[in-house]
Amino acid sequence: MRLVIDGVTRLVRRYRLDGNPLRRRTDRWESAGLAVAMLLILLALWPATAAARQAYEGAQAAGADRRQVRATLLADTPVTALSFGEVGGGGMVAAGWTAPSGRRHTGKVSVLSPAKAGSQLTIWIDGAGRPAPPPPSEAELRITAAATALMILGVAACLVLCTFAIFRHALDRVRLREWAVAWSLADDHWRHRPS
């Protein structure tokens, strides 16, 4: 924990805007650029929150029309022949069910365990009466919203920090040119120094 605090303290000292006469103009530009970058990352919280809410409500609305109904199997579950005998198991089996609207439907449903024709099971259907996965739970909705927010914040932070890195690289090139000019002046001064 102490290492983190020391690192943050060094960063604040390095980038704070102050009246230090030893700071170069490019150092002040870099500090201002970092402040703008942090502000942009903080501003990305708003679209991330809006997108998370939209993802939550969209996933919730997608599962809102799902209903549970009782389906009757029209065939036995398939039997798999193995070298040591036959094994009954689940799979896709023809079934019939009645939607809440009263309309009769048939189709293939997923059965997890062996079952005979005429057996009943509970399935989820969508608004059109077709088999559908169950609606997302509250935990799944929250995970979807959080993942959406984190993805948008991550992309925004990546874009901002990459832009800051390019800006800092340009400042480093300016610093190197200024350094070369300063050394050239110092070299001229020392070379032409009277004895």
Side-chain angles (χ1 to χ4, degrees), residues 2-195:
R2 186 71 188 155
L3 288 173
V4 173
I5 292 171
D6 289 344
V8 169
T9 303
R10 273 194 302 275
L11 280 175
V12 168
R13 283 184 189 151
R14 178 178 178 180
Y15 288 114
R16 70 180 174 204
L17 297 171
D18 60 3
N20 185 345
L22 297 177
R23 285 195 196 272
R24 298 169 287 192
R25 180 185 47 167
T26 53
D27 295 337
R28 289 187 177 88
W29 289 352
E30 186 175 348
S31 296
L34 183 64
V36 168
M38 291 298 125
L39 179 66
L40 289 174
I41 290 173
L42 285 175
L43 287 175
L45 284 172
W46 178 79
T49 304
R53 172 173 272 170
Q54 188 72 24
Y56 181 91
E57 291 171 353
Q60 191 175 37
D65 68 342
R66 309 270 168 85
R67 301 283 181 260
Q68 278 189 321
V69 295
R70 297 290 292 168
T72 304
L73 295 182
L74 302 176
D76 295 344
T77 54
V79 176
T80 305
L82 300 173
S83 60
F84 57 84
E86 293 181 342
V87 176
M92 298 300 286
V93 181
W97 61 91
T98 304
S101 64
R103 187 168 173 219
R104 185 88 177 128
H105 293 274
T106 58
K108 297 253 183 188
V109 296
S110 178
V111 180
L112 301 177
S113 60
K116 297 282 184 196
S119 300
Q120 291 204 340
L121 69 147
T122 303
I123 63 168
W124 285 93
I125 60 170
D126 61 14
R130 295 182 303 258
S137 66
E138 184 65 26
E140 291 171 329
L141 292 171
R142 289 178 186 219
I143 289 171
T144 299
T148 302
L150 287 175
M151 183 184 66
I152 289 177
L153 276 177
V155 168
C158 196
L159 288 172
V160 167
L161 293 177
C162 285
T163 304
F164 178 70
I166 292 168
F167 175 68
R168 188 168 177 211
H169 177 72
L171 288 177
D172 287 341
R173 292 177 58 94
V174 170
R175 287 180 186 127
L176 286 174
R177 278 196 303 272
E178 289 174 352
W179 187 257
V181 168
W183 272 110
S184 176
L185 290 172
D187 186 46
D188 287 345
H189 174 75
W190 285 101
R191 193 175 306 170
H192 298 97
R193 188 174 166 199
S195 317

